[in-house]
Amino acid sequence: MNMQAPVTKSANSKSPASETARHDAQPVAAKTGLAALWRPALVQAFVKLDPRQLHRAPVMLVVELTAILTTVLCLIPDPAVPTSVAVQIAVWLWFTVLFANFAEALAEGRGKARADSLKAGSEGLKARIQSANGGYEMVNAATLRKGDVVRVEAGELIPGDGEVIEGIAAVNEAAITGESAPVIRESGGDRSAVTGNTRLVSDWLLVRISANPGESTLDRMIALVEGAKRQKTPNEVALDILLIGLTLIFLLVVVTLQPFAHFAGGNLPLVFLVALLVTLIPTTIGGLLSAIGIAGMDRLVRLNVIAKSGRAVEAAGDVHVLLLDKTGTITFGNRRCAAVYAAPGVTPKELSEGTLLASLADDTAEGKSIVEYLRGLHPMTEPAPSQLTAVPFTAETRLSGVDFEGRVYRKGAVDSLLKFLGRDRNDLPPVLAREIDKIAKTGGTPLLVCGDGKLLGAIHLKDVVKPGIRERFEELRKLGIRTVMVTGDNPLTAAAIAAEAGVDDVLAEATPEKKLERIRQEQNDGRLVAMCGDGANDAPALAQADVGMAMNDGTQAAREAANMVDLDSDPTKLLDVVQIGKELLVTRGALTTFSIANDVAKYFAILPALFASIYPQLGVLNVMHLASPQSAILSAIVFNALIIVVLIPLALRGVRVQAASAAHLLRRNLLVYGLGGIVVPFVGIKAIDLLLTALHLV
């Protein structure tokens, strides 16, 4: 009687229609590419020259000030510096600032394209608000406040985020999630939260608005992709402090060089000192830092996840422990009938008929899978629905079934059905008891079925582990992240599923208190914790976790407690969020390493050139054999500007994170971006020097 049940499509899998809708819902920038964005980004690069905008990028503000100073010096003749060289230095200093502004504007533009399309769908939206006399009046949706009650009819847009307080209806959330299949929303339970700008496709709903203007999911998405309200994260602030510190140190160094030169009987042109300052300070990371942060948030938005703060994204990159629900995340969630086992003295046909009758009125996914399985196993003439008296499942009885022609057919949990028959575990036939234990040990759920007071056999329901999930956990393990499966199953069943899925630990028979206790325990041990959830019972744990991701179709309590909301309501998305967080941190670290490392080569280009006339012995440091002091300085300045342009695609795309330990990633970054940051400038500056000399520009 053993037969493997067919694996059904996941609830999260996408139909061709939904894939089309998802493609249509992607940001405009994703469709048109960067080609359509460079013109407005170029305009913004000049707009951002306003010092009031550059104050957020202190290194670039210093470069702009030096560009202004150099431009002024071009008007003051200096016999030591040809005017043409001074003009070229000034021009390339301006280009350095413009290229950095262009990178930031390009990152912002990718998000603004989507923001514009989102705004277009919300402009002029009307709402039917409940008035004091119990009637309804039409108002502008932008005037709605938290607590207002609105009525939404079929075909209308829901005017704002809220909680369904009356009614049940199908809602199309494609405008927000890209998923074309409508979802059911109703008052009470875990499916009562609705999102603004989604469309009602049937019936009506009475919705209590849960967000003031500017605080809705749509508003947060627009603010994120525009970067208008993106606050600097702690890591960005720390890096800014480091860059400001280095800039001040090198400013003091440069200021003291002129007195030192006078003491040695020489003179250093002010234009050259300005050029030295720009090449000493970490201009590469200073110019790309903002673009890296904006691009990281944009990748998160493209994933259809809304983060309430940049801190949450960075925390995702640093997490040590992931708490993942079993159902819907590790497994498909819809248990399927995998086999049926007959009790001693019961024929296969008798078992099949009794089990089929007990399941015909069960409209759950499990009940339907039992009917589907048995129809293929033993076809029989089924009674009409009108001949059956359905007995629905209840939490008290934990049984369901039908009454048919005076006979009683029931199926349910082992202990509940035995109690229904007036028996206990000791009364189970040994053969059937062994099968039930085997089902539980393999991670399945055993049910018993009876007909007219006779025990017929057992049903094996199996929650199928998602394909590829074990490999994903292995990748996380290599990154030093431990996974914990959270489930309400008994420890035996939970252990079997955990072994099959490859998780590191299990929290069985989980309650809200147990989840909260586990998170606090991990945090007390110095670990950052991430978890996802959708119910009101998950809210305390979501609020406690360093990264709490709520499902968009979950309760309002869960969405408010979490610091991220997944618009697709796909629990496995948490794994992708962790990946994006790590990419953001690694990209920032890699480009910081490269920026500081490439300054080393620029020292060898400019320092010998500056002091060649004062200390001819320093000529030995001219290891690149650059043509002249003017050529060396100008080559370093040109390289300093162009390298920002070369690295813009990497800053926007992000450095891919391989499944490896932190030590391995550090060694790789030092080798690629540290050593590369030293070698590339030597090659680049020498090539520019040869070109400048060949073109007689110096």
Side-chain angles (χ1 to χ4, degrees), residues 282-300:
T283 51
T284 305
I285 185 60
L288 295 174
L289 181 60
S290 181
I292 293 169
I294 294 172
M297 297 297 285
D298 180 56
R299 286 197 296 275
L300 194 70

Side-chain angles (χ1 to χ4, degrees), residues 271-331:
V271 171
F272 287 0
L273 288 174
V274 169
L276 175 63
L277 174 63
V278 172
T279 54
L280 285 175
I281 63 178
T283 51
T284 305
I285 185 60
L288 295 174
L289 181 60
S290 181
I292 293 169
I294 294 172
M297 297 297 285
D298 180 56
R299 286 197 296 275
L300 194 70
V301 171
R302 287 167 180 263
L303 199 63
N304 268 354
V305 174
I306 299 299
K308 297 179 182 178
S309 69
R311 182 190 298 267
V313 185
E314 286 197 349
D318 279 333
V319 296
H320 305 95
V321 181
L322 282 181
L323 265 63
L324 300 164
D325 276 334
K326 183 201 76 171
T327 305
T329 306
I330 296 173
T331 64

Side-chain angles (χ1 to χ4, degrees), residues 165-432:
I165 58 176
E166 189 177 337
I168 177 171
V171 180
N172 186 342
E173 298 184 338
I176 299 295
T177 69
E179 176 58 72
S180 63
V183 294
I184 300 299
R185 292 289 178 260
E186 58 185 323
S187 59
D190 291 346
R191 298 186 299 176
S192 60
V194 291
T195 306
N197 277 67
T198 56
R199 189 176 297 276
L200 219 65
V201 295
S202 73
D203 304 289
W204 59 272
L205 292 175
L206 210 59
V207 178
R208 179 181 288 113
I209 300 299
S210 60
N212 288 319
E215 300 174 354
S216 68
T217 299
L218 183 66
D219 292 324
R220 288 200 302 269
M221 177 184 283
I222 291 173
L224 275 175
V225 296
E226 285 185 329
K229 295 183 180 178
R230 194 187 76 85
Q231 300 298 315
K232 288 189 177 183
T233 64
N235 280 346
E236 283 180 304
V237 172
L239 187 53
D240 263 344
I241 293 173
L242 173 64
L243 298 182
I244 292 171
L246 290 174
T247 301
L248 290 174
I249 290 171
F250 290 129
L251 179 61
L252 291 174
V253 169
V254 170
V255 167
T256 59
L257 286 179
Q258 187 66 276
F260 179 78
H262 279 298
F263 178 78
N267 181 53
L268 295 176
L270 188 54
V271 171
F272 287 0
L273 288 174
V274 169
L276 175 63
L277 174 63
V278 172
T279 54
L280 285 175
I281 63 178
T283 51
T284 305
I285 185 60
L288 295 174
L289 181 60
S290 181
I292 293 169
I294 294 172
M297 297 297 285
D298 180 56
R299 286 197 296 275
L300 194 70
V301 171
R302 287 167 180 263
L303 199 63
N304 268 354
V305 174
I306 299 299
K308 297 179 182 178
S309 69
R311 182 190 298 267
V313 185
E314 286 197 349
D318 279 333
V319 296
H320 305 95
V321 181
L322 282 181
L323 265 63
L324 300 164
D325 276 334
K326 183 201 76 171
T327 305
T329 306
I330 296 173
T331 64
F332 282 126
N334 293 331
R335 295 178 297 176
R336 303 282 301 177
C337 179
V340 290
Y341 303 93
V346 177
T347 65
K349 183 178 180 181
E350 186 181 2
L351 171 63
S352 296
E353 290 179 352
T355 306
L356 183 64
L357 286 168
S359 307
L360 279 175
D362 187 353
D363 60 356
T364 65
E366 292 86 353
K368 291 176 180 178
S369 77
I370 295 171
V371 172
E372 178 186 345
Y373 177 82
L374 293 171
R375 279 173 177 166
L377 195 63
H378 285 286
M380 61 172 282
T381 303
E382 299 176 16
S386 59
Q387 297 177 274
L388 303 175
T389 302
V391 179
F393 175 88
T394 66
E396 290 76 20
T397 64
R398 300 181 69 194
L399 298 173
S400 66
V402 299
D403 294 339
F404 173 58
E405 294 182 347
R407 287 171 289 178
V408 175
Y409 295 92
R410 297 288 187 273
K411 73 176 191 310
V414 174
D415 292 335
S416 299
L417 194 124
L418 288 173
K419 182 180 178 181
F420 178 75
L421 295 175
R423 306 180 190 179
D424 58 31
R425 286 264 182 171
N426 296 327
D427 297 325
L428 273 175
V431 165
L432 201 58

Side-chain angles (χ1 to χ4, degrees), residues 47-58:
V47 173
K48 289 176 179 289
L49 288 175
D50 185 345
R52 290 172 297 181
Q53 294 198 38
L54 271 182
H55 79 279
R56 289 174 57 87

